[in-house]
PDB file of all heavy atoms in Angstrom:
ATOM      1  N   GLY A  71      68.463 -17.103  -7.110  1.00 96.00           N
ATOM      2  CA  GLY A  71      68.874 -18.361  -6.505  1.00 96.00           C
ATOM      3  C   GLY A  71      67.730 -19.298  -6.162  1.00 96.00           C
ATOM      4  O   GLY A  71      67.959 -20.449  -5.804  1.00 96.00           O
ATOM      5  N   GLN A  72      66.498 -18.823  -6.263  1.00 97.00           N
ATOM      6  CA  GLN A  72      65.345 -19.676  -5.972  1.00 97.00           C
ATOM      7  C   GLN A  72      64.955 -20.477  -7.208  1.00 97.00           C
ATOM      8  O   GLN A  72      65.138 -20.029  -8.329  1.00 97.00           O
ATOM      9  CB  GLN A  72      64.136 -18.836  -5.540  1.00 97.00           C
ATOM     10  CG  GLN A  72      64.251 -18.228  -4.180  1.00 97.00           C
ATOM     11  CD  GLN A  72      62.900 -17.678  -3.728  1.00 97.00           C
ATOM     12  OE1 GLN A  72      61.846 -18.197  -4.084  1.00 97.00           O
ATOM     13  NE2 GLN A  72      62.944 -16.614  -2.947  1.00 97.00           N
ATOM     14  N   THR A  73      64.371 -21.627  -6.999  1.00 97.00           N
ATOM     15  CA  THR A  73      63.782 -22.365  -8.109  1.00 97.00           C
ATOM     16  C   THR A  73      62.425 -21.738  -8.423  1.00 97.00           C
ATOM     17  O   THR A  73      61.851 -21.007  -7.601  1.00 97.00           O
ATOM     18  CB  THR A  73      63.569 -23.849  -7.752  1.00 97.00           C
ATOM     19  OG1 THR A  73      62.614 -23.935  -6.680  1.00 97.00           O
ATOM     20  CG2 THR A  73      64.874 -24.529  -7.380  1.00 97.00           C
ATOM     21  N   LEU A  74      61.911 -22.051  -9.602  1.00 96.00           N
ATOM     22  CA  LEU A  74      60.571 -21.565  -9.947  1.00 96.00           C
ATOM     23  C   LEU A  74      59.539 -22.089  -8.953  1.00 96.00           C
ATOM     24  O   LEU A  74      58.599 -21.376  -8.590  1.00 96.00           O
ATOM     25  CB  LEU A  74      60.205 -21.976 -11.376  1.00 96.00           C
ATOM     26  CG  LEU A  74      60.855 -21.139 -12.473  1.00 96.00           C
ATOM     27  CD1 LEU A  74      60.638 -21.771 -13.843  1.00 96.00           C
ATOM     28  CD2 LEU A  74      60.337 -19.716 -12.453  1.00 96.00           C
ATOM     29  N   MET A  90      62.677 -18.481 -20.032  1.00 97.00           N
ATOM     30  CA  MET A  90      63.709 -17.711 -19.346  1.00 97.00           C
ATOM     31  C   MET A  90      64.868 -17.546 -20.317  1.00 97.00           C
ATOM     32  O   MET A  90      65.138 -18.436 -21.120  1.00 97.00           O
ATOM     33  CB  MET A  90      64.193 -18.435 -18.088  1.00 97.00           C
ATOM     34  CG  MET A  90      63.131 -18.575 -17.037  1.00 97.00           C
ATOM     35  SD  MET A  90      63.649 -19.646 -15.650  1.00 97.00           S
ATOM     36  CE  MET A  90      64.994 -18.739 -14.969  1.00 97.00           C
ATOM     37  N   PRO A 103      59.871 -26.763 -12.763  1.00 96.00           N
ATOM     38  CA  PRO A 103      59.840 -26.171 -11.421  1.00 96.00           C
ATOM     39  C   PRO A 103      61.181 -26.168 -10.705  1.00 96.00           C
ATOM     40  O   PRO A 103      61.386 -25.384  -9.781  1.00 96.00           O
ATOM     41  CB  PRO A 103      58.825 -27.041 -10.669  1.00 96.00           C
ATOM     42  CG  PRO A 103      58.749 -28.308 -11.443  1.00 96.00           C
ATOM     43  CD  PRO A 103      59.059 -27.971 -12.864  1.00 96.00           C
ATOM     44  N   ASP A 104      62.125 -27.000 -11.124  1.00 97.00           N
ATOM     45  CA  ASP A 104      63.424 -27.056 -10.456  1.00 97.00           C
ATOM     46  C   ASP A 104      64.466 -26.134 -11.085  1.00 97.00           C
ATOM     47  O   ASP A 104      65.609 -26.087 -10.621  1.00 97.00           O
ATOM     48  CB  ASP A 104      63.942 -28.498 -10.450  1.00 97.00           C
ATOM     49  CG  ASP A 104      63.062 -29.402  -9.596  1.00 97.00           C
ATOM     50  OD1 ASP A 104      62.551 -28.931  -8.558  1.00 97.00           O
ATOM     51  OD2 ASP A 104      62.860 -30.573  -9.978  1.00 97.00           O
ATOM     52  N   VAL A 105      64.075 -25.389 -12.112  1.00 96.00           N
ATOM     53  CA  VAL A 105      64.998 -24.440 -12.747  1.00 96.00           C
ATOM     54  C   VAL A 105      65.187 -23.257 -11.817  1.00 96.00           C
ATOM     55  O   VAL A 105      64.227 -22.702 -11.271  1.00 96.00           O
ATOM     56  CB  VAL A 105      64.449 -23.989 -14.120  1.00 96.00           C
ATOM     57  CG1 VAL A 105      65.275 -22.857 -14.695  1.00 96.00           C
ATOM     58  CG2 VAL A 105      64.407 -25.168 -15.075  1.00 96.00           C
ATOM     59  N   LYS A 106      66.449 -22.862 -11.631  1.00 96.00           N
ATOM     60  CA  LYS A 106      66.755 -21.741 -10.744  1.00 96.00           C
ATOM     61  C   LYS A 106      66.729 -20.415 -11.490  1.00 96.00           C
ATOM     62  O   LYS A 106      67.160 -20.314 -12.640  1.00 96.00           O
ATOM     63  CB  LYS A 106      68.124 -21.921 -10.097  1.00 96.00           C
ATOM     64  CG  LYS A 106      68.118 -22.936  -8.988  1.00 96.00           C
ATOM     65  CD  LYS A 106      69.376 -22.854  -8.163  1.00 96.00           C
ATOM     66  CE  LYS A 106      69.261 -23.811  -6.994  1.00 96.00           C
ATOM     67  NZ  LYS A 106      70.391 -23.679  -6.085  1.00 96.00           N
ATOM     68  N   ILE A 107      66.243 -19.417 -10.798  1.00 97.00           N
ATOM     69  CA  ILE A 107      66.229 -18.044 -11.282  1.00 97.00           C
ATOM     70  C   ILE A 107      67.501 -17.384 -10.775  1.00 97.00           C
ATOM     71  O   ILE A 107      67.857 -17.538  -9.604  1.00 97.00           O
ATOM     72  CB  ILE A 107      65.004 -17.287 -10.724  1.00 97.00           C
ATOM     73  CG1 ILE A 107      63.710 -17.981 -11.129  1.00 97.00           C
ATOM     74  CG2 ILE A 107      65.027 -15.828 -11.163  1.00 97.00           C
ATOM     75  CD1 ILE A 107      62.488 -17.488 -10.372  1.00 97.00           C
ATOM     76  N   HIS A 108      68.179 -16.651 -11.638  1.00 96.00           N
ATOM     77  CA  HIS A 108      69.390 -15.946 -11.233  1.00 96.00           C
ATOM     78  C   HIS A 108      69.331 -14.491 -11.682  1.00 96.00           C
ATOM     79  O   HIS A 108      68.678 -14.163 -12.676  1.00 96.00           O
ATOM     80  CB  HIS A 108      70.635 -16.613 -11.834  1.00 96.00           C
ATOM     81  CG  HIS A 108      70.890 -17.976 -11.299  1.00 96.00           C
ATOM     82  ND1 HIS A 108      71.314 -18.214 -10.012  1.00 96.00           N
ATOM     83  CD2 HIS A 108      70.764 -19.199 -11.871  1.00 96.00           C
ATOM     84  CE1 HIS A 108      71.437 -19.511  -9.817  1.00 96.00           C
ATOM     85  NE2 HIS A 108      71.106 -20.134 -10.932  1.00 96.00           N
ATOM     86  N   HIS A 111      68.908 -12.949 -15.385  1.00 97.00           N
ATOM     87  CA  HIS A 111      67.956 -13.677 -16.222  1.00 97.00           C
ATOM     88  C   HIS A 111      66.821 -12.741 -16.637  1.00 97.00           C
ATOM     89  O   HIS A 111      66.504 -11.783 -15.937  1.00 97.00           O
ATOM     90  CB  HIS A 111      67.342 -14.857 -15.481  1.00 97.00           C
ATOM     91  CG  HIS A 111      68.229 -16.052 -15.413  1.00 97.00           C
ATOM     92  ND1 HIS A 111      67.867 -17.197 -14.746  1.00 97.00           N
ATOM     93  CD2 HIS A 111      69.446 -16.306 -15.936  1.00 97.00           C
ATOM     94  CE1 HIS A 111      68.822 -18.096 -14.853  1.00 97.00           C
ATOM     95  NE2 HIS A 111      69.805 -17.565 -15.567  1.00 97.00           N
TER      96      HIS A 111
END
Side-chain angles (χ1 to χ4, degrees):
Q72 288 192 31
T73 64
L74 283 170
M90 295 172 64
D104 294 324
V105 171
K106 284 194 175 186
I107 301 167
H108 293 290
H111 281 178

